[in-house]
């Protein structure tokens, strides 16, 4: 690429980012761990609850990173993650939440639809997904809380599930994917992950970056140039509604776990996915 072409690309990148930063929406039914996922991936402090439905509004979380490479090298790159209220919380609230989803989801370049590993009743999710089928090509599916899959014998400090859990997680992924594929009429791939164990978060994040299908795909492509460790959350820290410490602090965030994983793999302890 000539110097002039590189300069043009850099200007196009900057003006598109200034017009609208890459935007990822995190959605799904109440309690699956949407806010926790954002907290763990990006070290934010969004309120979470261990007991009752928590997020009530679409909440924009601005993130930024110092770009070291790619078309915007040297500049600041912005990314917006949007935390959504949980669907299915209450029959009286659902119409209002669904209106919000209809208004906000089209603004997202990519949508992470979170389901929980131990929930095998998917009729409600199937209905919601049918309603948003026009947006389905931008949806990435995550199955959260896989640390709770039976026989719940995740070895302390291990970065991967036990063999028995791994087999059950595979069965869950196969079952949920088949049932969502059936209603959406396309093959649905799902990423099993755990915020508590920092498991598969990097795979989830990469899937998000790879799933932008609109004319803004090139912006997401360029984001892949950045080292994941460079992402820095700018949102202020907030404690959970119950006053318990945020999971992100407990696990050290995605990047703390990545560092730990590299160290373990280097010493031969890690088992790849
Ligand atoms: N075991 C386990 N629990 C998790 C995980 N991620 C989140 N949780 C728990 O799931 C519960 C709900 O988490 P939230 O992040 O508030 O869920 P949410 O989807 O944002 O809920 P709403 O805001 O009500 O829609 C909390 O008790 C979290 O600690 C995980 O990876 N493993
Ligand atoms: Mg929430």
């Amino acid at each position: 690429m000539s110097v002039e072409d590189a300069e043009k690309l850099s200007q196009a990148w900057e003006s598109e980012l200034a017009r609208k930063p890459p935007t990822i929406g995190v959605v799904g039914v109440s309690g699956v761990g949407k806010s926790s996922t954002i907290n763990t991936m990006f070290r934010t402090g969004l309120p979470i609850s261990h007991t009752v439905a928590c997020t009530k509004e679409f909440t924009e979380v601005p993130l930024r990173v110092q770009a070291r490479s790619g078309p915007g090298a040297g500049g600041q790159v912005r990314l917006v993650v949007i935390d959504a209220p949980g669907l299915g919380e209450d029959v009286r609230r659902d119409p209002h939440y669904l209106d919000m989803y209809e208004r906000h989801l089209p603004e997202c370049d990519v949508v992470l639809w979170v389901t929980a590993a131990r929930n095998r009743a998917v009729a409600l999710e199937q209905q919601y997904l049918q309603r948003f089928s026009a947006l389905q090509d931008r949806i990435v599916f995550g199955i959260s809380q896989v640390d709770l899959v039976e026989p719940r014998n995740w070895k302390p400090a291990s970065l991967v599930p036990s063999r028995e859990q791994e087999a059950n997680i595979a069965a869950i992924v196969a079952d949920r994917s088949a049932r969502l594929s059936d209603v959406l009429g396309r093959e649905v791939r799902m990423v099993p992950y755990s915020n508590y164990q920092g498991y598969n978060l990097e795979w989830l994040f990469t899937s998000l970056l790879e799933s932008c299908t609109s004319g803004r795909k090139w912006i997401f492509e360029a984001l892949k140039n950045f080292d994941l460790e460079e992402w820095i959350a700018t949102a202020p820290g907030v404690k959970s509604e119950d006053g318990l410490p945020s999971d992100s602090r407990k696990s050290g965030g995605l990047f703390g776990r990545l560092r730990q994983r590299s160290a373990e793999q280097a010493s031969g302890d890690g088992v790849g996915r």
Side-chain angles (χ1 to χ4, degrees):
M1 190 189 299
S2 70
V3 176
E4 273 176 19
D5 286 346
E7 180 62 24
K8 271 190 204 152
L9 181 63
S10 171
Q11 280 170 7
W13 155 270
E14 274 166 31
S15 72
E16 184 62 9
L17 282 181
R19 190 183 70 77
K20 188 184 169 206
T23 304
I24 300 173
V26 182
V27 307
V29 301
S30 181
V32 291
K34 299 178 293 300
S35 307
S36 302
T37 300
I38 298 172
N39 285 344
T40 312
M41 269 192 174
F42 302 109
R43 284 178 276 184
T44 52
L46 292 166
I48 69 154
S49 172
H50 301 296
T51 50
V52 293
C54 185
T55 311
K56 305 291 178 197
E57 300 289 338
F58 271 74
T59 309
E60 284 198 6
V61 185
L63 304 164
R64 58 169 177 254
V65 67
Q66 185 77 28
R68 289 192 198 149
S69 56
Q76 289 257 312
V77 180
R78 293 190 298 148
L79 172 75
V80 171
V81 180
I82 301 181
D83 189 19
L87 294 171
E89 169 194 333
D90 188 295
V91 73
R92 295 192 194 285
R93 277 187 181 269
D94 240 21
H96 175 53
Y97 286 168
L98 284 166
D99 279 353
M100 284 191 199
Y101 270 56
E102 256 157 24
R103 256 183 296 127
H104 289 283
L105 288 195
E107 292 166 11
C108 301
D109 295 299
V110 178
V111 172
L112 170 60
W113 191 289
V114 184
T115 65
R118 288 178 61 103
N119 175 29
R120 54 193 178 194
V122 296
L124 205 54
E125 281 164 334
Q126 286 172 319
Q127 281 170 32
Y128 294 133
L129 281 164
Q130 279 173 324
R131 184 172 176 138
F132 298 116
S133 62
L135 300 170
Q136 62 158 302
D137 62 341
R138 71 185 72 174
I139 300 178
V140 172
F141 291 91
I143 303 183
S144 72
Q145 306 187 6
V146 297
D147 53 287
L148 294 179
V149 167
E150 295 295 334
R152 279 192 276 177
N153 57 348
W154 197 297
K155 224 165 86 198
S158 169
L159 297 176
V160 289
S162 68
R163 293 277 171 222
E164 300 95 317
Q165 283 185 305
E166 198 168 49
N168 285 340
I169 291 168
I172 288 169
V173 170
D175 174 72
R176 309 304 186 266
S177 310
R179 291 199 278 144
L180 296 189
S181 300
D182 184 35
V183 292
L184 288 175
R186 68 155 169 118
E187 196 195 341
V188 163
R189 291 181 51 225
M190 306 184 87
V191 178
Y193 72 98
S194 164
N195 295 310
Y196 277 18
Q197 299 296 342
Y199 174 65
N200 277 348
L201 288 168
E202 66 276 32
W203 178 19
L204 190 62
F205 186 63
T206 310
S207 301
L208 289 168
L209 295 187
E210 281 169 357
S211 299
C212 180
T213 52
S214 71
R216 282 161 52 82
K217 191 175 175 64
W218 66 284
I219 293 272
F220 277 76
E221 285 293 322
L223 289 179
K224 286 193 233 154
N225 291 332
F226 305 128
D227 184 342
L228 290 185
E229 289 205 21
E230 290 180 78
W231 290 102
I232 298 168
T234 57
V238 184
K239 283 222 162 122
S240 85
E241 215 185 36
D242 299 337
L244 295 168
S246 148
D247 300 329
S248 60
R249 287 177 189 84
K250 196 169 75 182
S251 70
L254 165 62
F255 310 116
R257 297 291 298 191
L258 283 177
R259 272 191 293 276
Q260 195 184 336
R261 180 187 291 264
S262 312
E264 287 201 10
Q265 279 172 346
S267 70
D269 286 345
V271 181
R273 98 178 127 77

